[in-house]
Structure formats: C-alpha cells, structure tokens
Amino acid sequence: DAGITQSPRHKVTETGTPVTLRCHQTENHRYMYWYRQDPGHGLRLIHYSYGVKDTDKGEVSDGYSVSRSKTEDFLLTLESATSSQTSVYFCAISESFKETGEETQYFGPGTRLLVL
Amino acid sequence: RKEVEQDPGPFNVPEGATVAFNCTYSNSASQSFFWYRQDCRKEPKLLMSVYSSGNEDGRFTAQLNRASQYISLLIRDSKLSDSATYLCVVDLNTGFQKLVFGTGTRLLVSP
C-alpha cells in the first residue's frame, strides 16, 4: 500500500464546468502522475510532477492543468469539462525497490468522471 | 504501430491450466519492464518486474527477449482469483519514469 488516496471517487458533471480531482499521498514521494484510462487505450499520461511547483505535460495534456503546492497533494483540473474527458482517472507515485533500486509506479484507487 | 502491443483476449482457461501472455514493444531503448494486474473497476497493481534472465514468483514466470523486443508472462496452475486483466508495461527510460502501458490481456479462469 503506497498510501495514495483520490477524491472524489465518483463525479458527474456537466459540459463546460471546471472540475478538480485531488490525489493525496502520505509517504513523501517526489514523483506523482495523473493518468486517464479509456477502453481500447492503455493508461495515458496527462501530467506529472517531480516536486513542489514542478510539473510537466504528458501525452494527453490538452484541456487539463495541474498544481502541486505541497509534496503530498497533486491536483488535476479540467478547465472546462467536455464529454471526451469522461474517463477513469488514476493518480500514481514512483517508488524504488529497496533490493534493486529499480523504480516503478503505484496507483491510487481512481476517480470515475462522467461529463454529461 | 503501438508502442506496446498485447493480445486483448479474453483467454478462457479452466482452473489448473497453464496460460501464457505475450507482449511486444517498439522502443529498443526501453530499460525496465513490468507486468501489472488490474481487476475490474480497480487500479492497476504491480505483479512483477521482468528481467533479461527471466524471473519467477510462485506460479508466475516472466521473461524478456530484448533482441525480439518481446515480453512474456506464464501463469501455472491457474486459480479462479487469477481472473483479471494483465497489463504489459514498459519504461521508456527518458529521464523521468515514463511508463507506456499496453491495453491489457483479459484472463478468465473458470471452475
């Protein structure tokens, strides 16, 4: 358990409204990520963060912004939600294996967003 | 061509069967490889890393063939609880951990 929570877990909203999803971690991980998962696609990276106030775009960042004002929180904002942003959103952190130093990612429980 | 390709399945097998999943990746610079498991309506969870020498964890064996850019996962003595979607994941080694996910292979184990 990597100590990651996401809120809300489910949300229904209307087209054109702003929406903010929150990812919270308790173990001081430097790297945090936002992904979306849709049928027929693998998880796709939206944005990631490599420290407080340090963020960068992923492959599907259009229509999304992020903020990280504290190590433990990484917020994803849909500036003006569209139906194409209906998806399941996962937050993740990077953690290294103690034995090998290899890094991998651990995921939060996800947020199901429906944009009507 | 997709960066990571998997057969979507579903693979329907009886309990106790051995089943193998394959995955190909396109970026030869990839350094790290993983299999994740995802249950319906849940988050992906790390199943195991994949090493060039092959590695085993109980009933699960993962292998990597760098020359062919091919990764495999073998599950022996399948259990009902193995029913899930298995995601092949590749780290593109771009300076930060950029993981590329396959779309997954669905496994259904029946009694």
Side-chain angles (χ1 to χ4, degrees), chain A residues 9 21 31 38 47 63 66 74 77 91-92 95 105 107 111:
Chain A
R9 295 293 312 280
L21 308 182
Y31 280 85
D38 305 288
H47 282 278
V66 289
F74 191 30
T77 298
C91 174
E95 189 170 270
Q105 292 181 18
F107 289 83
T111 294

Side-chain angles (χ1 to χ4, degrees), chain A residues 43-79:
Chain A
L43 277 88
R44 292 180 291 173
L45 182 65
I46 305 171
H47 282 278
Y48 68 99
S49 170
Y50 47 97
V52 173
K53 295 195 165 77
D54 292 322
T55 65
D56 207 346
K57 296 179 180 180
E59 63 179 300
V60 291
S61 58
D62 287 349
Y64 301 94
S65 62
V66 289
S67 66
R68 192 162 178 205
S69 58
K70 300 185 289 186
T71 298
E72 57 266 35
D73 288 324
F74 191 30
L75 304 181
L76 176 71
T77 298
L78 288 65
E79 292 140 10

